[in-house]
């Protein structure tokens, strides 16, 4: 098993355009708003042979660099060992390490979906770093266990953080739950001018949801001055009309 590895890098304050949205893919996903970090995904290349004892030693190190390396290497372990290693650092004091570990659980967490779901519920409720909450919301959407939609809907309505809201909106498309239609339409129509990713997330998920009631609203954005929104609207429209 090999899990995608998140990489967090700095972005200029002026960066406000959005790369094509692809959830948990090995390519850029989100650019920054204000001075928040960009999130990208990079699958990386296979390292030298590794073993669980060495990785656990790295994850327990007092040095953040060692722990980050341990998270990166954990994806090369057998499934159960990978999961154990990642669970051990989801509460790491460094938010970048927490984010890296949680993001990998979108794949590795399926080995024990119920336990992963319980841990992700705690993270979205209690973690103080929105990037980590957003990663946990992604995992919840990918697991698609009973109660996932209700949890994410409640979280969406209770937060004002753009990154977390974007993750949840995108997750609704992955889940394919028809109950998300009204919320997605509301997000599309009422997204603030300085939050283009909210509109992108809503457009993408409406396309995946396939409810043809959305066609007339989505059509309004195919010539949007923001090219990312226009392209996303065209893709969503094609998906809607093909279903």
């Amino acid at each position: 098993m090999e899990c995608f590895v998140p990489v967090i890098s700095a972005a200029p304050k002026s960066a406000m355009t959005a790369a094509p949205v692809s959830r948990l893919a090995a390519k850029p996903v989100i650019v920054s708003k204000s001075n928040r970090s960009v999130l990208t995904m990079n699958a990386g290349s296979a390292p030298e042979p590794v073993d669980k004892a060495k990785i656990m030693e790295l994850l327990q190190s007092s040095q953040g660099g060692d722990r980050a390396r341990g998270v990166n290497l954990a994806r090369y372990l057998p499934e159960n060992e990978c999961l154990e290693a990642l669970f051990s650092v989801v509460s790491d004091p460094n938010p970048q390490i927490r984010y890296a570990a949680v993001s990998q659980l979108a794949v590795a967490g399926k080995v024990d979906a119920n336990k992963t779901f319980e841990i992700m519920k705690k993270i979205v409720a209690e973690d103080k770093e929105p990037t980590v909450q957003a990663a946990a919301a992604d995992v919840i959407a990918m697991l698609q266990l009973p109660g996932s939609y209700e949890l994410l809907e409640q979280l969406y309505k209770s937060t004002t953080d753009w990154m977390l809201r974007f993750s949840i909106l995108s997750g609704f498309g992955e889940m394919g739950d028809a109950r998300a239609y009204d919320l997605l339409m509301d997000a599309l129509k009422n997204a603030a001018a300085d939050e283009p990713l909210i509109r992108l997330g809503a457009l993408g998920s409406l396309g995946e949801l396939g409810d043809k009631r959305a066609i007339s609203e989505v059509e309004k954005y195919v010539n949007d001055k923001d090219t990312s929104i226009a392209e996303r609207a065209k893709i969503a429209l094609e998906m809607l009309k093909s279903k």
Side-chain angles (χ1 to χ4, degrees):
M1 180 194 71
E2 182 172 317
C3 310
F4 290 129
V5 179
V7 178
I8 301 183
S9 57
K13 187 173 182 179
S14 60
M16 280 297 296
T17 57
V21 179
S22 176
R23 299 178 64 256
L24 297 174
K27 61 182 180 180
V29 177
I30 302 176
V31 296
S32 78
K33 175 183 178 181
S34 183
N35 59 354
R36 184 169 290 173
S37 296
V38 169
L39 308 188
T40 62
M41 307 301 290
N42 181 2
S45 56
E48 70 280 1
V50 296
D51 60 63
K52 180 183 176 182
K54 176 62 176 177
I55 289 174
M56 295 305 293
E57 180 182 342
L58 289 170
L59 294 175
Q60 294 165 12
S61 170
S62 62
Q63 301 298 313
D66 287 342
R67 300 199 306 279
R69 181 164 175 260
V71 171
N72 183 45
L73 294 175
R75 67 195 174 106
Y76 297 104
L77 291 172
E79 293 180 346
N80 289 331
E81 293 181 1
C82 174
L83 191 61
E84 180 184 349
L86 295 175
F87 281 162
S88 74
V89 287
V90 294
S91 297
D92 192 276
N94 185 319
Q96 294 190 3
I97 292 173
R98 296 200 305 276
Y99 171 79
V102 170
S103 294
Q104 288 200 47
L105 290 170
V107 176
K110 294 179 180 179
V111 175
D112 190 342
N114 289 319
K115 183 175 181 179
T116 301
F117 184 49
E118 292 303 313
I119 292 174
M120 295 304 100
K121 286 198 295 184
K122 183 176 181 180
I123 289 173
V124 295
E126 299 178 5
D127 201 289
K128 303 302 182 184
E129 172 54 48
T131 58
V132 179
Q133 288 182 301
D138 273 333
V139 175
I140 290 170
M142 294 288 283
L143 293 174
Q144 299 187 31
L145 293 180
S148 296
Y149 175 79
E150 293 84 354
L151 175 63
L152 293 178
E153 180 185 38
Q154 180 182 11
L155 184 61
Y156 180 86
K157 292 178 177 179
S158 65
T159 185
T160 58
D161 184 83
W162 69 273
M163 186 177 292
L164 180 53
R165 294 174 73 207
F166 168 76
S167 255
I168 294 170
L169 290 173
S170 299
F172 286 149
E174 180 74 30
M175 296 171 73
D177 194 314
R179 291 175 292 176
Y181 175 80
D182 288 337
L183 190 152
L184 290 169
M185 287 293 286
D186 181 73
L188 178 59
K189 294 176 182 178
N190 299 312
D194 64 342
E195 293 184 334
L197 286 174
I198 298 300
R199 190 156 281 146
L200 278 171
L203 283 167
S205 287
L206 283 167
E208 291 182 90
L209 209 59
D211 191 321
K212 293 184 181 297
R213 291 178 295 167
I215 289 177
S216 61
E217 188 64 29
V218 171
E219 285 177 331
K220 296 177 183 179
Y221 298 94
V222 295
N223 294 312
D224 196 275
K225 63 182 180 181
D226 184 321
T227 56
S228 295
I229 290 175
E231 288 302 312
R232 180 56 55 176
K234 291 174 185 176
I235 293 170
L237 198 58
E238 289 177 4
M239 295 175 72
L240 287 165
K241 290 182 176 180
S242 68
K243 294 186 177 181

